[in-house]
Amino acid sequence: MYRTNTCGELRISDVGKNVKLAGWVQRSRKMGGMTFVDLRDRYGITQLAFNEELDADIFAKANKLGREYCIQAIGTVSERQSKNKNIPTGDIEIIVSELSVLSESLTPPFTIEDNTDGGDDIRMKYRYLDLRRPAVRANLELRHRMTILIRNFLDSKDFIEVETPILIGSTPEGARDFIVPSRMNPGQFYALPQSPQTLKQLLMVSGFDRYFQIAKCFRDEDLRADRQPEFTQIDCEMSFVDQDDVINLFEDMARHLFKEVRGVDLPEKLQQMTWHDAMRLYGSDKPDIRFGMEFVELMDTLKGTGSFPVFNDAAYIGGICVHGCANYTRKQLDQLTDFVKRPQVGAKGLVYVKYNEDGSVKSSIDKFYAPEVWNSLKEVMGAKDGDLVLILSGDNANKTRVQLCSLRLEMGDRLGLRDKDKFECLWIVDFPLFEWSDEEQRLMATHHPFTMPNPDDIPLLDEHPERVRAMAYDFVCNGIEVGGGSLRIHDCNLQEKMFNILGFTPERAMAQFGFLINAFKYGAPPHAGLAFGLDRFVSIMAGLDSIRDCIAFPKNNSGRDVMLDAPSAVDVKQLDELQIKVDLGQ
């Protein structure tokens, strides 16, 4: 037995007990004839005490211990003279009588502390050391706890967990697939699933009624803080349900998770907002409603009411009112102008109007408008003396709204309005069924080709498909899309029409989705589903800015695993077996 106790469980009531502990050396402190070692394991830290007068040999051995040595200590629990109220074991220490070095350690490349001196790259290279840090480990413990709560909740609602294949056929509609060559079928390839979408629909045809899976998914996309090439979904599907059934059940699951994990009570009924209203008021289909600053359209107020050519030529003018910020300096306003001009935002400029406390008005475009226009603007914006109005315009309404969204979020950050311990959740509904792709020069499915059109809009499919709403819904928390889903098409004729609008020939549709089309000929039930992003959900609960710290072994922004040095070149023999030749165009 390496240990009788963990490093986090001994208390003052255990004084006098003989114990064995094992773990890693967090730090050592030498104080005259005494040496103190903090021993760490997953459960906590316990102080070991070595007294030169009691045992000079073991004292000398303790003085040779380095950081992150893996050791075993045997001794007696004793009350500490100088107690540490910052740790649960701070009332006791172990007077060590036997010490064994189980494994020596090189000097770690960064400190194994919550506030480490290691940057992202070095910590990812030595991720196995980074995972020893309590702050990182706590994120994975939270992830574990959430998956247990999710499984138990869904089990209580009669869901069956079913594993679906990782090696499937490629479905180019959507994000890029990762493809895997097949040695046994030369020249042919598997794909890694972007989601188990078609497979879970087949399970509904199979009569499973309620399915879920904590599913690994893969998308070959450009990365950012909240994306990884491989990610985990809480993937669910249900038969004989409508949109309200799905929303109500998974709203209950979210309510359960927030209560159990964070002690937060979500409202009994979450707000539902249409996609159109979300874009109109926030410029985003995942609005952060922890704070106000809703957009106000200003075309009637500012277009043609003055001589400012930018506004008079605009297709959209919108503004936000920032309460109490009329005292912003020219430097601060220049910083905001530089912010909206960044390539990531893409605006050409920013107009401000300061309604000062003394009732005066100051704007960057004063000379173009009469005073009564500023009075009208003040009323339309709901501004008061002391408030700052920020305005963007452009020749594309949705593009400008997205830019204004970036500015709104920046102001929310600057004013401390995006509190990570405050949670505001809502559903976004009535998405467009289709969106135009400039790259493909055709309509694409906003979600996927199997999304049910709103029954009221089906007559529009032939002449005005761009106006058709989807029976789709997204769960949004604090400006982050945590999950989404839709009702599925289960009628073969309607599915055929959908494929036709998306530009699929009957032959291509059968080649790509024939297995699903054929299955639907055998009594497919009405069905719907939803998938939560587990990584994102955990990161929100943990208050993280990136999903990387709730994934054990994440990739960097280039999609590389710097610890495993992957992806990497493979042996020529492997390529020969696969009958693949690499040509990099050199």
Side-chain angles (χ1 to χ4, degrees), residues 165-171 176-180 190-195 216-219:
I166 292 297
L167 296 175
I168 63 169
S170 180
T171 54
R176 291 186 187 89
D177 288 328
F178 283 102
I179 59 171
V180 181
Y190 299 106
L192 303 181
Q194 295 182 29
S195 82
K216 207 71 168 173
C217 303
F218 307 85
R219 291 179 189 170

mmCIF file of all heavy atoms in Angstrom, residues 165-171 176-180 190-195 216-219:
data_model
loop_
_atom_site.group_PDB
_atom_site.id
_atom_site.type_symbol
_atom_site.label_atom_id
_atom_site.label_comp_id
_atom_site.label_asym_id
_atom_site.label_seq_id
_atom_site.Cartn_x
_atom_site.Cartn_y
_atom_site.Cartn_z
ATOM 1 N N PRO A 165 -20.644 5.332 -35.297
ATOM 2 C CA PRO A 165 -19.290 5.138 -35.832
ATOM 3 C C PRO A 165 -18.487 6.436 -35.932
ATOM 4 O O PRO A 165 -19.043 7.519 -36.122
ATOM 5 C CB PRO A 165 -19.538 4.560 -37.229
ATOM 6 C CG PRO A 165 -20.938 4.057 -37.206
ATOM 7 C CD PRO A 165 -21.683 4.897 -36.233
ATOM 8 N N ILE A 166 -17.180 6.288 -35.812
ATOM 9 C CA ILE A 166 -16.252 7.392 -36.045
ATOM 10 C C ILE A 166 -15.808 7.416 -37.508
ATOM 11 O O ILE A 166 -15.566 8.477 -38.077
ATOM 12 C CB ILE A 166 -15.024 7.274 -35.112
ATOM 13 C CG1 ILE A 166 -15.452 7.499 -33.662
ATOM 14 C CG2 ILE A 166 -13.935 8.268 -35.493
ATOM 15 C CD1 ILE A 166 -16.002 8.888 -33.373
ATOM 16 N N LEU A 167 -15.716 6.273 -38.155
ATOM 17 C CA LEU A 167 -15.366 6.196 -39.570
ATOM 18 C C LEU A 167 -16.651 6.097 -40.376
ATOM 19 O O LEU A 167 -17.346 5.087 -40.330
ATOM 20 C CB LEU A 167 -14.473 4.981 -39.837
ATOM 21 C CG LEU A 167 -13.103 4.988 -39.150
ATOM 22 C CD1 LEU A 167 -12.376 3.667 -39.393
ATOM 23 C CD2 LEU A 167 -12.262 6.160 -39.629
ATOM 24 N N ILE A 168 -16.976 7.179 -41.106
ATOM 25 C CA ILE A 168 -18.220 7.221 -41.876
ATOM 26 C C ILE A 168 -17.919 7.706 -43.284
ATOM 27 O O ILE A 168 -16.761 7.905 -43.656
ATOM 28 C CB ILE A 168 -19.265 8.134 -41.195
ATOM 29 C CG1 ILE A 168 -18.758 9.588 -41.137
ATOM 30 C CG2 ILE A 168 -19.607 7.624 -39.803
ATOM 31 C CD1 ILE A 168 -19.805 10.588 -40.723
ATOM 32 N N GLY A 169 -18.962 7.939 -44.081
ATOM 33 C CA GLY A 169 -18.790 8.493 -45.413
ATOM 34 C C GLY A 169 -18.737 10.010 -45.359
ATOM 35 O O GLY A 169 -19.289 10.636 -44.450
ATOM 36 N N SER A 170 -18.091 10.615 -46.336
ATOM 37 C CA SER A 170 -17.940 12.062 -46.374
ATOM 38 C C SER A 170 -19.249 12.738 -46.775
ATOM 39 O O SER A 170 -19.979 12.245 -47.640
ATOM 40 C CB SER A 170 -16.839 12.458 -47.363
ATOM 41 O OG SER A 170 -16.686 13.852 -47.408
ATOM 42 N N THR A 171 -19.558 13.862 -46.111
ATOM 43 C CA THR A 171 -20.729 14.684 -46.451
ATOM 44 C C THR A 171 -20.246 16.120 -46.636
ATOM 45 O O THR A 171 -20.245 16.900 -45.683
ATOM 46 C CB THR A 171 -21.798 14.616 -45.345
ATOM 47 O OG1 THR A 171 -21.200 14.975 -44.088
ATOM 48 C CG2 THR A 171 -22.372 13.222 -45.227
ATOM 49 N N ARG A 176 -15.622 21.532 -43.664
ATOM 50 C CA ARG A 176 -14.742 20.540 -44.297
ATOM 51 C C ARG A 176 -14.637 19.297 -43.417
ATOM 52 O O ARG A 176 -14.525 19.383 -42.197
ATOM 53 C CB ARG A 176 -13.339 21.107 -44.508
ATOM 54 C CG ARG A 176 -13.244 22.202 -45.540
ATOM 55 C CD ARG A 176 -11.790 22.572 -45.766
ATOM 56 N NE ARG A 176 -11.647 23.738 -46.626
ATOM 57 C CZ ARG A 176 -11.622 24.989 -46.209
ATOM 58 N NH1 ARG A 176 -11.723 25.244 -44.902
ATOM 59 N NH2 ARG A 176 -11.494 25.987 -47.038
ATOM 60 N N ASP A 177 -14.649 18.149 -44.071
ATOM 61 C CA ASP A 177 -14.427 16.888 -43.375
ATOM 62 C C ASP A 177 -12.941 16.617 -43.206
ATOM 63 O O ASP A 177 -12.123 16.993 -44.055
ATOM 64 C CB ASP A 177 -15.015 15.712 -44.172
ATOM 65 C CG ASP A 177 -16.527 15.679 -44.153
ATOM 66 O OD1 ASP A 177 -17.112 16.101 -43.142
ATOM 67 O OD2 ASP A 177 -17.119 15.226 -45.152
ATOM 68 N N PHE A 178 -12.586 15.940 -42.112
ATOM 69 C CA PHE A 178 -11.307 15.241 -42.048
ATOM 70 C C PHE A 178 -11.513 13.896 -42.732
ATOM 71 O O PHE A 178 -12.489 13.189 -42.448
ATOM 72 C CB PHE A 178 -10.881 14.997 -40.590
ATOM 73 C CG PHE A 178 -10.328 16.218 -39.909
ATOM 74 C CD1 PHE A 178 -11.111 16.938 -39.024
ATOM 75 C CD2 PHE A 178 -9.032 16.632 -40.137
ATOM 76 C CE1 PHE A 178 -10.612 18.054 -38.387
ATOM 77 C CE2 PHE A 178 -8.517 17.758 -39.502
ATOM 78 C CZ PHE A 178 -9.302 18.467 -38.620
ATOM 79 N N ILE A 179 -10.618 13.529 -43.653
ATOM 80 C CA ILE A 179 -10.772 12.259 -44.362
ATOM 81 C C ILE A 179 -9.663 11.290 -43.968
ATOM 82 O O ILE A 179 -8.557 11.682 -43.629
ATOM 83 C CB ILE A 179 -10.823 12.462 -45.881
ATOM 84 C CG1 ILE A 179 -9.544 13.135 -46.399
ATOM 85 C CG2 ILE A 179 -12.044 13.297 -46.278
ATOM 86 C CD1 ILE A 179 -9.470 13.162 -47.910
ATOM 87 N N VAL A 180 -10.005 10.000 -44.029
ATOM 88 C CA VAL A 180 -9.099 8.931 -43.602
ATOM 89 C C VAL A 180 -9.004 7.910 -44.726
ATOM 90 O O VAL A 180 -10.020 7.331 -45.124
ATOM 91 C CB VAL A 180 -9.632 8.240 -42.322
ATOM 92 C CG1 VAL A 180 -8.669 7.141 -41.879
ATOM 93 C CG2 VAL A 180 -9.859 9.252 -41.217
ATOM 94 N N TYR A 190 -12.654 7.173 -45.753
ATOM 95 C CA TYR A 190 -13.658 7.458 -44.736
ATOM 96 C C TYR A 190 -13.610 8.960 -44.426
ATOM 97 O O TYR A 190 -12.690 9.665 -44.821
ATOM 98 C CB TYR A 190 -13.352 6.716 -43.429
ATOM 99 C CG TYR A 190 -13.329 5.214 -43.508
ATOM 100 C CD1 TYR A 190 -12.113 4.529 -43.465
ATOM 101 C CD2 TYR A 190 -14.504 4.476 -43.575
ATOM 102 C CE1 TYR A 190 -12.060 3.143 -43.501
ATOM 103 C CE2 TYR A 190 -14.471 3.084 -43.610
ATOM 104 C CZ TYR A 190 -13.251 2.427 -43.579
ATOM 105 O OH TYR A 190 -13.211 1.062 -43.611
ATOM 106 N N ALA A 191 -14.608 9.429 -43.693
ATOM 107 C CA ALA A 191 -14.566 10.770 -43.113
ATOM 108 C C ALA A 191 -14.822 10.642 -41.625
ATOM 109 O O ALA A 191 -15.490 9.702 -41.169
ATOM 110 C CB ALA A 191 -15.606 11.677 -43.751
ATOM 111 N N LEU A 192 -14.264 11.561 -40.855
ATOM 112 C CA LEU A 192 -14.589 11.641 -39.442
ATOM 113 C C LEU A 192 -15.859 12.483 -39.292
ATOM 114 O O LEU A 192 -16.006 13.503 -39.976
ATOM 115 C CB LEU A 192 -13.437 12.265 -38.649
ATOM 116 C CG LEU A 192 -12.089 11.569 -38.773
ATOM 117 C CD1 LEU A 192 -11.040 12.290 -37.913
ATOM 118 C CD2 LEU A 192 -12.181 10.107 -38.365
ATOM 119 N N PRO A 193 -16.785 12.090 -38.430
ATOM 120 C CA PRO A 193 -18.098 12.745 -38.400
ATOM 121 C C PRO A 193 -18.038 14.177 -37.874
ATOM 122 O O PRO A 193 -17.443 14.445 -36.828
ATOM 123 C CB PRO A 193 -18.917 11.850 -37.462
ATOM 124 C CG PRO A 193 -17.907 11.176 -36.601
ATOM 125 C CD PRO A 193 -16.690 10.986 -37.459
ATOM 126 N N GLN A 194 -18.679 15.093 -38.615
ATOM 127 C CA GLN A 194 -18.865 16.450 -38.102
ATOM 128 C C GLN A 194 -19.900 16.442 -36.975
ATOM 129 O O GLN A 194 -19.874 17.284 -36.087
ATOM 130 C CB GLN A 194 -19.320 17.376 -39.215
ATOM 131 C CG GLN A 194 -18.284 17.550 -40.311
ATOM 132 C CD GLN A 194 -18.750 18.526 -41.382
ATOM 133 O OE1 GLN A 194 -19.518 19.428 -41.117
ATOM 134 N NE2 GLN A 194 -18.261 18.334 -42.599
ATOM 135 N N SER A 195 -20.801 15.495 -37.038
ATOM 136 C CA SER A 195 -21.759 15.202 -35.966
ATOM 137 C C SER A 195 -22.405 13.878 -36.335
ATOM 138 O O SER A 195 -22.314 13.448 -37.489
ATOM 139 C CB SER A 195 -22.812 16.305 -35.841
ATOM 140 O OG SER A 195 -23.835 16.125 -36.794
ATOM 141 N N LYS A 216 -17.854 12.470 -29.908
ATOM 142 C CA LYS A 216 -16.693 13.168 -30.457
ATOM 143 C C LYS A 216 -17.010 13.564 -31.896
ATOM 144 O O LYS A 216 -17.482 12.743 -32.696
ATOM 145 C CB LYS A 216 -15.469 12.254 -30.420
ATOM 146 C CG LYS A 216 -14.161 12.999 -30.333
ATOM 147 C CD LYS A 216 -13.982 13.637 -28.971
ATOM 148 C CE LYS A 216 -12.557 14.149 -28.773
ATOM 149 N NZ LYS A 216 -12.437 14.905 -27.534
ATOM 150 N N CYS A 217 -16.751 14.833 -32.226
ATOM 151 C CA CYS A 217 -17.036 15.349 -33.560
ATOM 152 C C CYS A 217 -15.796 16.046 -34.118
ATOM 153 O O CYS A 217 -14.940 16.500 -33.356
ATOM 154 C CB CYS A 217 -18.199 16.337 -33.512
ATOM 155 S SG CYS A 217 -19.717 15.651 -32.802
ATOM 156 N N PHE A 218 -15.732 16.159 -35.434
ATOM 157 C CA PHE A 218 -14.513 16.644 -36.086
ATOM 158 C C PHE A 218 -14.881 17.586 -37.232
ATOM 159 O O PHE A 218 -15.707 17.251 -38.074
ATOM 160 C CB PHE A 218 -13.706 15.468 -36.646
ATOM 161 C CG PHE A 218 -13.425 14.383 -35.635
ATOM 162 C CD1 PHE A 218 -14.360 13.391 -35.395
ATOM 163 C CD2 PHE A 218 -12.235 14.371 -34.918
ATOM 164 C CE1 PHE A 218 -14.115 12.396 -34.457
ATOM 165 C CE2 PHE A 218 -11.987 13.380 -33.987
ATOM 166 C CZ PHE A 218 -12.927 12.393 -33.754
ATOM 167 N N ARG A 219 -14.236 18.754 -37.263
ATOM 168 C CA ARG A 219 -14.448 19.696 -38.358
ATOM 169 C C ARG A 219 -13.114 20.336 -38.714
ATOM 170 O O ARG A 219 -12.417 20.845 -37.834
ATOM 171 C CB ARG A 219 -15.471 20.768 -37.977
ATOM 172 C CG ARG A 219 -16.879 20.206 -37.850
ATOM 173 C CD ARG A 219 -17.889 21.246 -37.448
ATOM 174 N NE ARG A 219 -19.169 20.599 -37.149
ATOM 175 C CZ ARG A 219 -20.208 21.205 -36.597
ATOM 176 N NH1 ARG A 219 -20.113 22.485 -36.276
ATOM 177 N NH2 ARG A 219 -21.325 20.553 -36.356
#
